[in-house]
Amino acid sequence: MASIARKNLFEDIPRFLVAQAGIMFAVSLVTIQVGILKGFTRSTALLIDQSTADLWVASKDMVHLELTSPIAAEKVVQAQQVSGVERAEALMIRSSIWRSDSGLITPVRIFGFDPNSRLFAGWDVSQGKLNAVKQPFKVVVDRSSLKNLGQTQIGEQGKIGTLPAQIVGLSQDTQSIVSSLFIFTSLENANAYATAGLNTSVNCTRKTQGNLVCTNNFDNAPLDGKPASLTPPRSLSISDPISYVLIRAKPGQDLQQLKQRLEAALPDTRAYTQAELAEQTQVYWSERTGVGFILSLGATVGFVVGMVIVGQILYSSVADHLREFGTLKAMGASNWVIYSVILEQAMWMAVLGYIPSMAFCLGLGAWTQTAKGIMILITPATAGGVLILTVVMCVGSALFAVQKVTRVDPAIVFKA
Amino acid sequence: MTATQIDLLQSAGSASQANLSIRLERTEVNAIAARGVEMVYQSGTERFQALKNIDLEVKSGDIQLLMGPSGSGKTTLLSILAGILTPTSGSVSLLGEEISKLSSSKLAKFRLENIGFIFQGFNLFPALTALENVEVALNLKGIRRAAAHRQALDLLDQVGLSQQAKRHPQDLSGGQKQRVAIARALAGNPRLIMADEPTAALDSHNGHAVIELLRNLAKEKGRTVLIVTHDPRIIDVADSVAYLEDGVLKSGVRTR
């Protein structure tokens, strides 16, 4: 049968384009919101996903990757002695402030790791060399962070706290959307940055029973204060605080059993597999903060808006062609024939709205990733899901329009 | 003779048998029979009786006119006789089938197989070409694409529009549109043609052309044609004329 649905759709091209614009808007809104939600969730665990560590040992207080209580570096040595551990190394995460030459300041999160190993940095630098961070006060930053750090290229220098920091490499796809800008460097540099600019003192008081109670005080020195002398960063001592012990298991190890052995050997810690830590971090950001809810809400609003737009378009289209549907009914067409015309029209609208919308969203995602470091993650599953959602949206709207045809008085055909 | 017997005669294929069946239908079988048909519209406490105790018989192969002033109930009666509206009371038989007793789906199937419609407003699908308009009707009757295309071209040729097959309705004159509508009504070879004011929107020349087509349908192809009209020109080709006034069938005139 000549496709009445398709012909009706293309009968009035301006009207069709307006209708498609509405559907494209709705599809794009849903795709972008879902993409941002997934990109945001994924970005919070990018560093975990890209590491090659089998297990991450953290304080039992750990909430997510960047929020954990410090543990002593001696735990690295202790972990190394646990049966089944091939290699253990420290990861230090600290916060500080970056100051560019132009005076721009921005909060940063410093990741200190062993550049000789790839347990933490499973990723490659796209420009420069990762090993260069072994030198004093050299750092790697994510390519998308350069502008926000007030820098333009590799080789430029800023300050972290009161210490210099020269950019010697650029990483890619390592920055979380929701975090401060990431700085990657050696453990020694990270330790130096973490303590630089702090005035330390010890206050001791004698209590009535004769006990001496001492408290360590760390005070921030003014940022514009005179920097400490530039002595090379010292090696980590066993009492220095770190954030994680990264573990590579010996081949063939049962990770769950190794976790138990590590937790038994390292009091007040918990061991996580890569997947467990990634999930805990993603769940924190998507469920314990409002970000996930807001983005989910945006996707839902997009879907509802789409339903309304498509519903209105289809309903008015059916109203415009009511006499034709009445004619089909009078001629003896079954209700299903008429429903199939409306459903086919809805399917055409869905597919023709979906394809350009998805192309637009993929393009937008590529641009935001490159230009802004914001990931709009559109996986094949997302694309497939949005297609199904679009079809459901259009067919669901068509069901409203069908009601109008069901109620049409067939005698309408005899009205001039 | 029953309708089934007539069907058998028609399907026998020879011209003499077909002529015999048509002759027998004309003399012995009513293609349309309405008995005590009443139609009441109720809106809140308002009650309006559109048709009052209508009895009507139309013989097979006849051209039957329904005439009367506006609002007399002609179109309502046509809708009921076509199985589009259900009467408040009374019964309607088409081709020996009591359609009042059919379910809506069976009634739709009956219309599809047996009735061709011609509308005052043409009711063509504006997005489709003349050819596609006829093809749609054939497709609805289960005729597949290639055969439907061939038959649609043939039908358009019969109404003199094969040259305009690829045109859309908006590119056709009123008379041409109505001829496309007639070609569509003839799709699938229905035995009943129901036409509502088929010449009302046409000028004299096109009106006569349409009247001639309708006459041919009955006299040469043996279709029973029921026409609602104000147009006195059609009386000349009618076998019978029924006058309706205020929902009452006032009189029926057998013209031949």
Side-chain angles (χ1 to χ4, degrees), chain B residues 24-45:
Chain B
L24 288 172
E25 283 179 61
R26 286 176 64 90
T27 54
E28 296 181 23
V29 176
N30 289 320
I32 302 170
R35 303 257 185 280
V37 168
E38 303 215 337
M39 188 69 192
V40 177
Y41 292 106
Q42 190 91 34
S43 176
T45 54

Side-chain angles (χ1 to χ4, degrees), chain A residues 390-411:
Chain A
T390 309
V391 170
V392 167
M393 186 169 75
C394 290
V395 170
S397 305
L399 295 179
F400 287 109
V402 160
Q403 303 298 315
K404 192 164 182 67
V405 175
T406 306
R407 289 196 297 267
V408 67
D409 176 5

